[in-house]
Amino acid sequence: IGIYQAIRLLGLIEQNKAFSVAAVKRLRNMKYSALGLMATIGAAMPWIFAFGQEDDAPGVVILGLGAVLIAGVLATACAVFQKLFQNAVDIKEENDL
């Protein structure tokens, strides 16, 4: 879902509609997708750890935590861009009045 929203956001940017309400919605959806991925991997970590006990528990856990960290960084970046785009949309609407 997040990748689909990113592709749609790139389409908006290509159409020179980067600072629009639709772009802010796309960023919000991307943020929620990343947070959902973090929650899913975090909830699966006990199962991943149990599965990793057979082979290499520390390596499997580090991979899981790395995936959670990457999703967290992505969610943070989307939140920052969402706020910046929302401020730009507000300024644009204020200037249009």
Side-chain angles (χ1 to χ4, degrees):
I1 294 171
I3 293 172
Y4 174 72
Q5 294 297 324
I7 291 170
R8 301 238 355 225
L9 177 64
L10 290 174
L12 286 173
I13 292 171
E14 185 178 346
Q15 297 170 3
N16 290 327
K17 296 180 183 177
F19 299 111
S20 63
V21 176
V24 174
K25 287 180 183 179
R26 302 278 183 259
L27 284 165
R28 185 187 69 222
N29 292 340
M30 288 170 59
K31 176 180 71 174
Y32 288 146
S33 296
L35 290 174
L37 180 64
M38 281 179 61
T40 302
I41 294 173
M45 282 303 291
W47 182 79
I48 292 170
F49 182 74
F51 179 72
Q53 285 293 344
E54 297 173 7
D55 240 358
D56 184 24
V60 174
V61 170
I62 288 173
L63 286 175
L65 291 176
V68 169
L69 177 68
I70 290 170
V73 169
L74 182 61
T76 303
C78 286
V80 168
F81 286 131
Q82 178 187 358
K83 185 69 173 172
L84 289 172
F85 278 39
Q86 184 63 50
N87 288 342
V89 167
D90 292 342
I91 291 170
K92 182 180 175 185
E93 288 177 357
E94 184 179 308
N95 288 338
D96 288 343
L97 293 176

